[in-house]
Amino acid sequence: MTQTVKPSLSHSSIHRTVLNNGIVVLVAENPVADIIAARIFVRAGSCHEQRDKAGLAHLLSSVMTKGCEGLSSLEIAEQVESVGASLSTDATTDYFLMSLKTVTSDFPEILTLAGLMLRSPTFPELQVELERRLALQDIRSQQEQPFTLAFSQMREVIYQNHPYATSVLGDEATMNGLSREDLIQYHQTYFRPDNIVISIAGRVTQTDAIALVEQVFGHWQVPSQALPLLELPEIRVEPQHRLKPIQTQQSIVMLGYLGSSVSSPEYAPLKLLSTYLGNGLSSRLFVELREKRGLAYEVSSFYPTRQYPGSFVVYMGTAPENTSIALEGLRTEVDLLCTTEVSATALQAAKNKILGQYALGKQTNGQIAQIYGWYETLGLGIDFDQVFQELITSVNAKDAMAAACQYLQEPYISLVGQETAINNALV
């Protein structure tokens, strides 16, 4: 038996079903192309790692495709590639993801393979060691990139002991300390049917999709032990600055603020302000600091959507001799948000931009499966697709200023560049 939730009128093509074992299945019927895409989410990302095992979810995602019950890494690759399909895995802060795409006729075969990999990975020791070495190369490579260094130390000062402080890759010490047994334990703890969302989009009916998911996953039983409770430390707002002197031809100047989670009322105003400030060639930061003043090689802002409080970040890459004035320019532009209302024209332009980009991000079956599965995994529900657009549309200038006054007051500062330049910037 399954429990089917009738979609709202705005989601007449999206069907949500809960199987008896707790798996949530979302189906978007899209018969235009002979393609089916699926996203399998597990509600466990790097937030569910112990601090001394940072990078575990990433390593698991890298090794997941390298062997499962009865199949080697090569046999998995041959089965996928022989039908021109794609199958990959990834880990983020908030969830684990398995992505697949096939022509309609091959979907049963590839979903069956995905189910086997998800339930019965073998984590071959040699593959674990190989993927660990590749992860260590990525970690070392990131340590040579000024922007990554700046953002890394920004995360650390904003989030302190919270898992968001750490890269999904972890660091060299934690990655070196991971074992195959750690992967097995993490998999046994979190990979269970009542912790999974399967989102499917393409040329398939709801009835056929549910029948196939039942066939592949229906006998997967919920373990007797409850899922561990996720106890996260409080994030204290203690603005400070962090400097990283390196030999480079540019300075990275970064301001950060602790924002809200996606479920907070202030999420939409902050998302809109980030778009207004630093999204694209017409954004406030680009026009004022790059076009008019010539300060920036690059300038932007970002405010990633997170299950827990996200970070609101503005940054600039600039010549070393401009480090001080770049820092002053960024601070001035953010501070203006708390003292001067964004004009109606600029606010509407930001709304049009964010909603237009949002619409363009739902063109393919893969994008459709991703966004609805993501919303379900974060606990927002499929209606958030419509709710998000309504929230953005309803933000007014007073809402935006109130959010800025609440969240964008005293910044955390992260500077990376030549030692003299970044030291002088804080004098």
Side-chain angles (χ1 to χ4, degrees), residues 5 14 21-22 28 33-34 56 92 95 101 112 134 141 171 185 227 236 244 253 255 268 290 333 357 373 406 422:
V5 179
I14 307 294
N21 59 5
D34 188 26
L56 179 55
T92 73
Y95 57 85
K101 182 174 68 173
T112 299
L134 293 173
S141 174
D171 57 35
Q185 179 63 41
L227 271 165
R236 302 179 308 279
K244 180 75 172 179
V253 180
L255 307 184
R290 188 181 191 279
E333 291 301 332
Q357 291 172 344
Q406 181 175 351
I422 61 177

Side-chain angles (χ1 to χ4, degrees), residues 7-50:
S8 67
L9 291 176
S10 60
H11 295 289
S12 57
S13 60
I14 307 294
H15 306 276
R16 181 183 185 274
T17 303
V18 183
L19 304 188
N20 283 342
N21 59 5
I23 292 178
V24 178
V25 185
L26 309 177
V27 182
E29 299 181 34
N30 184 17
V32 175
D34 188 26
I35 297 290
I36 299 178
R39 300 290 187 267
I40 303 176
F41 293 82
V42 182
R43 297 184 185 94
S46 60
C47 267
H48 295 76
E49 303 164 342
Q50 298 174 22

Side-chain angles (χ1 to χ4, degrees), residues 19-196:
L19 304 188
N20 283 342
N21 59 5
I23 292 178
V24 178
V25 185
L26 309 177
V27 182
E29 299 181 34
N30 184 17
V32 175
D34 188 26
I35 297 290
I36 299 178
R39 300 290 187 267
I40 303 176
F41 293 82
V42 182
R43 297 184 185 94
S46 60
C47 267
H48 295 76
E49 303 164 342
Q50 298 174 22
R51 191 65 181 267
D52 63 349
K53 297 190 184 299
L56 179 55
H58 170 82
L59 185 60
L60 183 142
S61 73
S62 300
V63 183
M64 180 73 77
T65 59
K66 306 303 180 184
C68 61
E69 184 179 316
L71 293 173
S72 67
S73 174
L74 179 59
E75 289 169 330
I76 291 172
E78 287 177 341
Q79 187 170 337
V80 173
E81 292 170 7
S82 67
V83 294
S86 66
L87 192 156
S88 61
T89 49
D90 192 19
T92 73
T93 54
D94 294 330
Y95 57 85
F96 169 94
L97 178 65
M98 179 176 285
S99 304
L100 54 124
K101 182 174 68 173
T102 76
V103 296
T104 304
S105 59
D106 295 321
F107 184 64
E109 176 188 350
I110 299 302
L111 185 66
T112 299
L113 174 62
L116 189 61
M117 293 166 58
L118 200 72
R119 294 180 59 179
S120 308
T122 51
F123 304 126
E125 197 74 65
L126 288 176
Q127 296 290 346
V128 172
E129 198 52 45
L130 172 62
E131 295 301 329
R132 186 208 316 280
R133 289 201 301 270
L134 293 173
L136 288 168
Q137 289 177 17
D138 286 344
I139 292 169
R140 290 164 189 149
S141 174
Q142 289 187 358
Q143 293 170 349
E144 299 173 358
Q145 301 168 19
F147 171 84
T148 305
L149 286 172
F151 185 51
S152 178
Q153 62 184 11
M154 178 62 76
R155 278 198 315 258
E156 291 170 6
V157 293
I158 289 180
Y159 288 108
Q160 304 134 36
N161 295 319
H162 190 281
Y164 282 2
T166 309
S167 165
V168 175
L169 287 169
D171 57 35
E172 289 194 58
T174 59
M175 182 58 68
N176 270 317
L178 298 176
S179 67
R180 180 175 182 270
E181 287 66 34
D182 291 326
L183 297 176
I184 293 171
Q185 179 63 41
Y186 187 91
H187 180 266
Q188 290 178 344
T189 301
Y190 294 108
F191 283 62
R192 44 190 282 168
D194 56 342
N195 204 33
I196 284 178

Side-chain angles (χ1 to χ4, degrees), residues 257-258 266 269-270 273 334-341 397-410:
Y257 307 81
L258 182 65
E266 289 76 33
L270 287 174
L273 285 176
V334 178
D335 288 347
L336 274 173
L337 299 176
C338 303
T339 59
T340 307
E341 286 189 0
K398 292 190 186 312
D399 297 329
M401 182 182 281
C405 290
Q406 181 175 351
Y407 289 94
L408 309 180
Q409 290 283 353
E410 191 66 25

Side-chain angles (χ1 to χ4, degrees), residues 208-264:
D208 289 346
I210 295 300
L212 183 56
V213 173
E214 284 269 26
Q215 178 183 326
V216 175
F217 295 98
H219 298 296
W220 195 0
Q221 297 184 351
V222 178
S224 56
Q225 67 271 27
L227 271 165
L229 292 176
L230 183 58
E231 299 180 1
L232 297 175
E234 179 186 359
I235 306 169
R236 302 179 308 279
V237 179
E238 299 175 346
Q240 53 190 285
H241 59 261
R242 190 73 67 84
L243 282 65
K244 180 75 172 179
I246 63 171
Q247 286 303 315
T248 179
Q249 296 306 306
Q250 68 170 314
S251 296
I252 299 296
V253 180
M254 185 174 289
L255 307 184
Y257 307 81
L258 182 65
S260 74
S261 69
V262 64
S263 56
S264 165

